[in-house]
Amino acid sequence: MKIHEKYMSRAIQIAQKGSVQSRPNPSVGCVVVMNECVLSEDHTSGYGGPHAEVNALRKIPTNTDLSTATLYVTLEPCNHFGKTPPCSHYIVERGVKKVVIGIVDPNPLVAEKGIAHLRENGVSVSTGILEKECQYLHRFFTCSILKKRPFIHLKWAQSSDGFIAPKEVNRAENRRPFWVSNEESKQYAHLLRTQYQAILIGSKTLLRDNTELNVRLWKGPNPLRVIFWGNPKVSDLTIFKNEIPTLILSRSQTKNTDFPDHIEVQKITHNEDSIKFLFGILAQKGIQNLLVEGGAETINSFISEGLYDEITVIENTALKLKSGIKAPVFNRSSTIEIIKHHTDVISTHKYG
């Protein structure tokens, strides 16, 4: 591995540690190296706190001569005053003369301005190091800017013959989900939930399964629960009993006062597109990514519009249902990750 790739790879690892606390800002990773020795490394702080470059440089005593040091950072240092001063200014102030960047900031109002400031002050700048990996690291951030919508990840479990559930199982009475995947795959699904700010299902899935839509099998934050619902009423469903923030999007005339405090209801007018309405609400809340878990009708609505960036399918190769609710059909990508849990095969298809 080349030297730049070595330390940029480490910066990516560091960034991943701050992926939750930095929201809605991207978690950037920074590594400061001198004489092939890592002096310092850090990631972006919680929202409103210092960025990765500042955190890493502040760990180094101010009297340290950094003129021969190289600073590795996964995303172009900012050059504007927001909740924090510009990182590019602080890099110059600390005397760093060489900066290696993974990707340029995709925001046209920001792009290359940090790089320009560094170069204007005698700093040597290299870009595009492990660019593909850094693009994936910051995929939520770049998608919100370039596509003007949240990053969308579709996920479902299916039998080996392509069904997500049998029709004949009587879930209307007991409202318990029919489990296609095994326990290890369930844990993986909950890990996936911790990585997303919001999770979406349709009302049919909610009423059929009485799902909690939380993180029970993995340590991490619960996503905002979002439900497309035609006629919401307070009932004995689990989502009304616990206090996890929940957003109901409905075309019916309802009032927030009819629901517990943790339930927010937004009305979709008859001439509004449900998905575009959802995107607007999520943008207002600073949510940059969405996990869509079902059911088939809801998932197919995203597929038909081409609104997806990743798709994860958990297939139980030992289960055949022969009939039931058909699994969604999609164009499978060439970029794929595969995980095997006994009879379950988890395939994740990446687009873009």
Side-chain angles (χ1 to χ4, degrees):
M1 180 181 288
K2 297 179 181 179
I3 194 71
H4 285 344
E5 283 77 3
K6 172 184 176 180
Y7 293 117
M8 187 61 71
S9 178
R10 177 58 183 169
I12 291 172
Q13 292 178 334
I14 294 297
Q16 290 168 339
K17 295 181 179 181
S19 59
V20 172
Q21 72 179 60
S22 68
R23 295 172 178 172
N25 287 335
S27 181
V28 176
C30 179
V31 177
V32 183
V33 179
M34 189 160 63
N35 299 325
E36 297 190 23
C37 176
V38 174
L39 296 183
S40 178
E41 57 187 23
D42 214 328
H43 54 70
T44 306
S45 299
Y47 184 59
H51 293 179
E53 304 93 317
V54 173
N55 283 334
L57 289 170
R58 282 180 177 172
K59 289 181 176 180
I60 304 172
T62 54
N63 61 353
T64 303
D65 181 4
L66 297 178
S67 60
T68 60
T70 301
L71 183 145
Y72 293 85
V73 63
T74 57
L75 179 67
E76 177 186 2
C78 64
N79 193 53
H80 61 281
F81 287 87
K83 290 185 176 294
T84 61
C87 294
S88 59
H89 291 213
Y90 190 63
I91 293 171
V92 171
E93 180 184 327
R94 290 301 306 268
V96 176
K97 295 298 181 184
K98 189 171 184 178
V99 173
V100 178
I101 297 170
I103 60 172
V104 174
D105 194 312
N107 189 339
L109 299 176
V110 179
E112 300 193 23
K113 290 183 172 61
I115 294 172
H117 180 80
L118 292 173
R119 286 174 172 163
E120 288 166 3
N121 286 274
V123 179
S124 171
V125 180
S126 301
T127 62
I129 307 303
L130 293 188
E131 185 173 16
K132 183 178 180 181
E133 292 82 352
C134 290
Q135 288 282 6
Y136 188 73
L137 170 69
H138 297 306
R139 61 196 181 280
F140 302 151
F141 172 65
T142 58
C143 181
S144 67
I145 292 173
L146 299 178
K147 296 184 180 180
K148 309 298 182 186
R149 64 163 174 79
F151 184 96
I152 300 169
H153 192 144
L154 311 179
K155 192 224 80 176
W156 67 87
Q158 66 181 53
S159 63
S160 61
D161 53 350
F163 295 94
I164 63 173
K167 286 182 178 178
E168 60 270 17
V169 68
N170 187 359
R171 289 172 293 165
E173 292 182 4
N174 61 33
R175 285 191 308 217
R176 293 178 181 175
F178 177 86
W179 293 109
V180 173
S181 56
N182 61 33
E183 289 299 321
E184 290 87 350
S185 296
K186 290 179 192 176
Q187 285 187 324
Y188 176 85
H190 283 228
L191 164 63
L192 194 62
R193 287 179 179 180
T194 68
Q195 298 171 2
Y196 285 80
Q197 294 171 276
I199 182 171
L200 171 71
I201 62 169
S203 58
K204 290 181 182 178
T205 299
L206 178 66
L207 294 171
R208 186 177 61 225
D209 296 343
N210 192 20
T211 178
E212 295 181 63
L213 286 184
N214 61 6
V215 178
R216 304 182 301 280
L217 305 178
W218 203 272
K219 184 178 180 180
N222 289 307
L224 171 71
R225 302 181 300 194
V226 184
I227 301 159
F228 280 138
W229 204 344
N231 184 25
K233 295 179 181 179
V234 175
S235 70
D236 61 347
L237 289 169
T238 302
I239 66 161
F240 293 116
K241 296 177 180 179
N242 58 36
E243 297 183 355
I244 300 171
T246 302
L247 172 65
I248 290 178
L249 304 178
S250 172
R251 294 192 184 277
S252 301
Q253 193 65 41
T254 55
K255 298 180 181 178
N256 275 295
T257 53
D258 297 334
F259 298 89
D261 291 341
H262 69 281
I263 303 285
E264 175 188 355
V265 180
Q266 293 281 353
K267 186 177 186 303
I268 308 171
T269 61
H270 290 290
N271 61 348
E272 284 182 298
D273 179 271
S274 299
I275 294 179
K276 289 182 180 178
F277 182 83
L278 166 65
F279 290 170
I281 297 296
L282 295 183
Q284 292 173 16
K285 296 179 178 294
I287 291 176
Q288 297 179 346
N289 50 69
L290 174 68
L291 179 64
V292 182
E293 285 205 356
E297 184 178 326
T298 299
I299 290 173
N300 280 325
S301 67
F302 282 84
I303 291 177
S304 64
E305 296 291 331
L307 294 172
Y308 53 90
D309 302 286
E310 287 191 19
I311 293 179
T312 292
V313 179
I314 303 173
E315 181 177 335
N316 186 338
T317 59
L319 176 66
K320 283 190 176 182
L321 295 179
K322 298 182 180 179
S323 65
I325 301 173
K326 272 285 189 181
V329 177
F330 64 102
N331 292 323
R332 295 176 180 265
S333 73
S334 57
T335 306
I336 187 172
E337 289 182 354
I338 295 179
I339 301 173
K340 293 184 179 181
H341 288 150
H342 302 292
T343 58
D344 282 2
V345 176
I346 304 174
S347 59
T348 297
H349 304 258
K350 303 175 184 180
Y351 303 84

